[in-house]
Amino acid sequence: MSIGRPKAELVLNEEEHLQLWSLARSRALPHALVARAKIILWSAEGVNNTEIASRVQWTKATVGKWRRRFLERRVSGVYDELRSGRPRSIEDEQVAALLKRTLTRKPKAGTHWTIREAAQASGISKSTVHRLFQAFAVQPHRSRTFKLSTDPFFVEKVRDVAGLYLNPPDHALVLCVDEKSQIQALNRTQPVLPMGLGYVEGVTHDYVRHGTTTLFADLDIATKSVSDCFLTSP
């Protein structure tokens, strides 16, 4: 026999699950936002409000509130509502256009949007763009790397390599040698994971190298002029 009021079923689609999962794993976002994302993920897994309240150390009423907010507004419901104060000077359409441009397009003179460039392109002040980026957890300046290995013995190999540093053989010295600094022409082996609300752009560690370009510079002390020479190797 069920006790209490029945709750509406909470089902996430793939995109919502990815956004909430990224929020829940973040170490840079506000604690409250991270906790709300965890609440929704646990609710979708069938965990009841009492257990969720115990995990996040909130009341059942608060857990229920954010569950209802999500059902009404989906992912946008886990974010804080705008505070009371003077009337907003920008419309929702301007905010949506700013976020869409930042998440789906690149600036003409760079690879990632800065607050100044986003403000110029949208006609919104820099301070307002900064506040909106913070409110929606948009971080164009950040990226993270990830590793997807298909090697079935990957874990064993990592342990062997790490073990050499942690416990080297007797009368032996373990050295790590890296390649010299250079400009590399490379492609990532996996597609770039695009930036979204609450999570940063992701690129894989692995790449396919198509050669390198090394830059040499000569300084003439007498004339104080610098001449550059590019040397490309396959």
Side-chain angles (χ1 to χ4, degrees):
M1 179 178 179
S2 61
I3 300 176
R5 294 178 297 177
K7 299 189 293 295
E9 185 180 9
L10 195 155
V11 180
L12 304 175
N13 60 39
E14 184 177 354
E15 182 178 355
E16 289 173 339
H17 186 275
L18 176 60
Q19 292 188 33
L20 291 169
W21 181 76
S22 300
L23 290 173
R25 292 179 65 251
S26 175
R27 297 183 179 180
L29 296 176
H31 171 73
L33 179 58
V34 173
R36 294 169 203 159
K38 291 180 179 179
I39 288 173
I40 304 305
L41 289 172
W42 288 329
S43 295
E45 294 173 358
V47 183
N48 60 53
N49 287 1
T50 301
E51 174 63 21
I52 294 175
S54 175
R55 293 182 183 182
V56 298
Q57 297 184 342
W58 289 1
T59 65
K60 288 175 56 178
T62 303
V63 172
K65 165 191 171 182
W66 289 107
R67 179 189 171 94
R68 291 191 300 272
R69 277 275 298 270
F70 180 85
L71 290 171
E72 294 171 359
R73 311 179 192 181
R74 308 311 293 179
V75 175
S76 62
V78 302
Y79 293 92
D80 289 316
E81 293 180 314
L82 294 175
R83 306 295 183 183
S84 60
R86 67 178 184 179
R88 293 171 56 189
S89 58
I90 59 175
E91 302 294 334
D92 291 341
E93 290 77 8
Q94 291 177 280
V95 177
L98 168 67
L99 297 175
K100 182 178 180 180
R101 181 184 295 107
T102 305
L103 298 178
T104 61
R105 296 165 53 185
K106 294 183 178 181
K108 294 181 179 179
T111 59
H112 295 78
W113 289 98
T114 64
I115 292 178
R116 182 185 298 274
E117 290 171 334
Q120 292 176 346
S122 61
I124 303 175
S125 69
K126 291 186 295 183
S127 59
T128 302
V129 170
H130 179 65
R131 288 197 301 270
L132 290 172
F133 279 2
Q134 286 188 318
F136 288 94
V138 175
Q139 305 176 71
H141 62 290
R142 296 186 60 197
S143 64
R144 66 178 181 87
T145 56
F146 61 93
K147 169 70 178 180
L148 297 177
S149 176
T150 58
D151 188 344
F153 301 103
F154 177 72
V155 174
E156 289 78 2
K157 292 179 179 179
V158 170
R159 287 175 177 170
D160 289 341
V161 174
L164 286 175
Y165 292 93
L166 297 175
N167 187 24
D170 293 338
H171 309 295
L173 178 64
V174 180
L175 301 175
C176 176
V177 180
D178 197 1
E179 55 189 337
K180 61 187 175 71
S181 60
Q182 53 200 350
I183 305 171
Q184 303 185 35
L186 55 85
N187 284 335
R188 299 290 174 179
T189 57
Q190 299 288 338
V192 174
L193 300 179
M195 173 179 56
L197 299 179
Y199 56 95
V200 300
E201 180 185 83
V203 295
T204 178
H205 287 293
D206 304 291
Y207 56 83
V208 178
R209 187 164 60 182
H210 304 287
T212 59
T213 300
T214 305
L215 173 63
F216 296 92
D218 296 327
L219 172 63
D220 189 330
I221 300 179
T223 62
K224 297 182 180 179
S225 61
V226 177
S227 60
D228 297 336
C229 174
F230 290 89
L231 176 62
T232 302
S233 59

